[in-house]
Amino acid sequence: PPGGGVSEEETPEFRLRAFIESIIMRAHVKPPLQYYHRIRMIETFNPTGLVDDVWREWFGRHAQIALDIVSKLLGAGATEEDIRRCHMSVMSQCYIANSNLTSGRKPIEETIHLQDGEAIVNHIYNFSMAGIGAAAQQIEQRSVNACSK
């Protein structure tokens, strides 16, 4: 389910982890469901136009959930650009991890083992939280600087 199926009442940290897990674990399902994920990944990187309406609806729901989570993590001083940059960072990690799993090709770096979905989720979550935390500090400093002028 979009957003990992967790309530909006949960903390944004919990929701982010569930969101990442919902994306990563799609690539770890067995056929035939894995084929649907592969089609989605193909449409992401090489659109055919055949599923544009479905894709827009699905992506729109997912993007709105992720943007809401990131916005809450960044705080009230975050601009739309701040939120979208952090969203892009989280999503790109998920897409890269999943594209290596479903492409049938070896990962770019042979030493990277992406078969352990839980380890991938943990890494992306921890890396994202560190980046979002750093961005939140910059946003807070920006607000302090603006108030002191």
Side-chain angles (χ1 to χ4, degrees):
V6 299
S7 167
E8 289 184 26
E9 303 303 315
E10 294 289 349
T11 65
E13 293 84 0
F14 185 84
R15 290 177 63 209
L16 180 64
R17 190 182 190 300
F19 182 84
I20 292 167
E21 184 174 39
S22 74
I23 293 171
I24 295 301
M25 294 315 221
R26 282 189 197 105
H28 285 80
V29 295
K30 302 290 181 218
L33 290 177
Q34 187 180 44
Y35 300 125
Y36 294 113
H37 173 72
R38 187 164 188 210
I39 290 168
R40 187 173 57 82
M41 293 303 290
I42 290 168
E43 286 295 323
T44 299
F45 295 107
N46 190 18
T48 63
L50 297 173
V51 293
D52 281 354
D53 293 339
V54 173
W55 175 246
R56 260 192 296 284
E57 179 185 334
W58 180 89
F59 187 76
R61 270 192 322 223
H62 266 67
Q64 195 51 55
I65 291 167
L67 290 165
D68 180 59
I69 294 167
V70 170
S71 174
K72 285 182 170 81
L73 290 169
L74 287 174
T79 65
E80 186 71 22
E81 187 173 341
D82 295 327
I83 296 165
R84 292 204 176 274
R85 284 180 181 169
C86 288
H87 172 255
M88 174 193 65
S89 296
V90 172
M91 296 307 295
S92 61
Q93 290 177 82
C94 294
Y95 284 143
I96 289 170
N98 279 353
S99 66
N100 281 335
L101 282 172
T102 58
S103 68
R105 298 184 189 116
K106 290 183 180 178
I108 296 168
E109 180 63 49
E110 296 254 357
T111 59
I112 299 173
H113 298 286
L114 298 177
Q115 297 305 315
D116 183 354
E118 196 64 28
I120 296 167
V121 170
N122 288 334
H123 172 77
I124 293 172
Y125 172 76
N126 291 330
F127 198 85
S128 296
M129 285 301 296
I132 292 169
Q137 287 178 341
Q138 289 177 343
I139 292 164
E140 188 175 324
Q141 188 60 47
R142 188 174 63 208
S143 296
V144 169
N145 291 345
C147 288
S148 65
K149 289 184 179 181

